[in-house]
Amino acid sequence: RETKKTIHIGFSQAMSSDNWRKEMEKSMQVQASLYPRVELEIKSANNNVKSQIEQIKDFVEAQVDVLIVSPIKSKPVTTAIENALKAGIPTIVIDRKIESNNYTAYIGANNVDIGEDAAKYILSGIREESTVVQITGDIASSPAKERQLGFESVLKHSKKVKLLATIHGDWEKPSIKAPLNKLLDSVNPDYIFAHNDRMAIGGWEVLQQHNIQNQVKIIGVDGLYGPNGGIQYVKDEILLATILYPTGGAEAIDLAVKIVNGEFVNKNNTLNTVVIDSVNVDLMQNQFNKLVEQQNDIEGQQEVIDEQVRAYQSQNSMIKLMIGL
Ligand code: FRU
């Protein structure tokens, strides 16, 4: 009997602490389970650039068939990825970019578009002059740089919306609370645009402290479903809107398999985004519920198959014992 070679995919994840990353990993695992030959190994760098560089080296040494990396920061991870490619390992960059073109494929949404969409959304909803405070993610990671670029490029051409201030966060809530708290002593914005929903909720908590949570409209990014996800916050009218930032986990696995099979893949693969607000939030929630049901079905079926394989294997060894093999 011919045994087909397994496809070893190594994924170096920036961190696994937040739900967006957990969702990315889950969708990768579910997608990987659809390919019998794929073995997916996930290592999380816990937001530590040095560990991420080490992990990439380890995967190169292990000679994985495909490496997937979601870089913590763009610049410091660039050389590690270039070296992986030099060592002959096809490398997919996901979500956050590196500062070079030396990778096999990139997959992620267009973050400049996300920034532009946020600004256009504000512009389309106002009658008179309005003001906004921007809260960025870690500016050393490409999504923050690009969201800021897109947002400001639209506002530059508009006389109706004034950008009062930009606070630089690190993607997590605690990083923005003190600076926003201080800022709100002197300014009174109509809008807050935060580069992700976690910081957006941090913003809302600070607004509550100032008792102005009903006066300031908040727009976030990510649009996760489930409890503490952006979709629920839009439904609860805590966020005015959120912009969907798909994780691309499933698509990255498909790309990896295509690369191993020698099929053509595009170098840059752009995922779609959409603004989620009160108009379409129910529709989006329904779509995600269906998707989650499907994922759970697949996982359930996988368990049944695993169980059958185990039963088969133990019967097989029993028979071998009985016939003295
Ligand atoms: C998750 C996250 C998201 C954000 C993305 C940008 O770790 O912070 O909230 O959209 O990373 O890379």
Side-chain angles (χ1 to χ4, degrees):
R1 194 172 73 100
E2 188 197 348
T3 46
K4 284 203 175 163
K5 217 179 140 276
T6 57
I7 300 173
H8 185 184
I9 302 175
F11 173 41
S12 168
Q13 169 69 303
M15 70 219 74
S16 299
S17 44
D18 62 82
N19 286 341
W20 189 84
R21 304 257 160 212
K22 285 182 187 143
E23 172 50 35
M24 182 194 260
E25 290 167 26
K26 165 130 192 235
S27 58
M28 280 187 176
Q29 277 154 344
V30 169
Q31 197 67 13
S33 77
L34 300 179
Y35 297 99
R37 289 167 60 204
V38 167
E39 214 173 83
L40 171 66
E41 189 184 345
I42 301 179
K43 291 186 187 193
S44 172
N46 293 320
N47 215 13
N48 181 320
V49 172
K50 273 195 189 147
S51 328
Q52 184 156 49
I53 292 170
E54 282 307 309
Q55 283 173 0
I56 295 173
K57 280 189 194 149
D58 289 347
F59 277 136
V60 172
E61 260 168 45
Q63 294 191 308
V64 291
D65 295 299
V66 183
L67 172 66
I68 305 176
V69 183
S70 187
I72 300 167
K73 295 177 193 277
S74 302
K75 203 171 174 199
V77 183
T78 300
T79 315
I81 289 182
E82 288 185 324
N83 288 343
L85 206 67
K86 267 190 222 151
I89 312 278
T91 304
I92 299 171
V93 178
I94 185 168
D95 152 50
R96 300 185 184 174
K97 294 178 180 166
I98 54 169
E99 290 194 351
S100 118
N101 285 324
N102 293 329
Y103 53 84
T104 310
Y106 169 80
I107 181 153
N110 183 330
N111 282 298
V112 178
D113 281 356
I114 287 180
E116 286 181 5
D117 286 351
K120 286 180 195 158
Y121 185 78
I122 294 176
L123 280 166
S124 70
I126 54 170
R127 264 188 239 109
E128 53 219 45
E129 271 187 27
S130 298
T131 54
V132 59
V133 165
Q134 176 180 216
I135 298 173
T136 78
D138 179 357
I139 219 68
S141 62
S142 61
K145 242 186 270 170
E146 294 174 352
R147 287 172 196 176
Q148 177 171 12
L149 185 79
F151 188 64
E152 292 179 5
S153 71
V154 171
L155 292 192
K156 224 173 34 202
H157 300 295
S158 140
K159 291 196 178 65
K160 276 166 76 191
V161 178
K162 189 170 175 230
L163 179 60
L164 293 176
T166 294
I167 290 173
H168 290 297
D170 69 359
W171 295 116
E172 305 309 323
K173 228 192 224 186
S175 65
I176 63 103
K177 282 191 139 180
L180 182 62
N181 202 0
K182 192 155 165 254
L183 183 70
L184 291 179
D185 288 338
S186 56
V187 303
N188 205 353
D190 300 305
Y191 289 88
I192 288 178
F193 169 48
H195 284 191
N196 70 11
D197 292 335
R198 299 195 300 287
M199 294 188 295
I201 294 307
W204 179 70
E205 287 165 4
V206 177
L207 293 176
Q208 276 185 314
Q209 286 170 21
H210 289 252
N211 209 12
I212 51 170
Q213 71 273 22
N214 295 327
Q215 294 158 34
V216 186
K217 301 183 183 79
I218 313 173
I219 298 165
V221 180
D222 281 348
L224 280 176
Y225 61 86
N228 303 318
I231 291 188
Q232 191 58 47
Y233 289 125
V234 170
K235 278 199 87 151
D236 296 343
E237 294 177 20
I238 290 171
L239 297 184
L240 174 69
T242 178
I243 301 167
L244 180 72
Y245 187 53
T247 68
E251 292 85 349
I253 297 297
D254 288 343
L255 272 179
V257 173
K258 279 193 181 151
I259 291 170
V260 173
N261 290 340
E263 287 172 46
F264 171 80
V265 299
N266 286 317
K267 178 139 184 176
N268 289 301
N269 301 272
T270 309
L271 301 165
N272 292 330
T273 67
V274 59
V275 177
I276 303 170
D277 67 0
S278 61
V279 176
N280 62 353
V281 69
D282 286 324
L283 188 85
M284 292 303 294
Q285 200 169 40
N286 288 339
Q287 292 294 355
F288 277 116
N289 284 343
K290 273 190 209 143
L291 192 85
V292 174
E293 258 174 45
Q294 281 170 357
Q295 281 190 342
N296 291 343
D297 280 354
I298 291 170
E299 281 179 325
Q301 282 164 9
Q302 204 58 48
E303 273 162 33
V304 173
I305 293 171
D306 289 347
E307 186 50 47
Q308 280 171 352
V309 169
R310 272 194 297 273
Y312 169 78
Q313 281 167 344
S314 67
Q315 269 171 11
N316 213 15
S317 38
M318 279 262 273
I319 292 170
K320 279 183 183 163
L321 261 180
M322 289 191 317
I323 62 175
L325 267 175

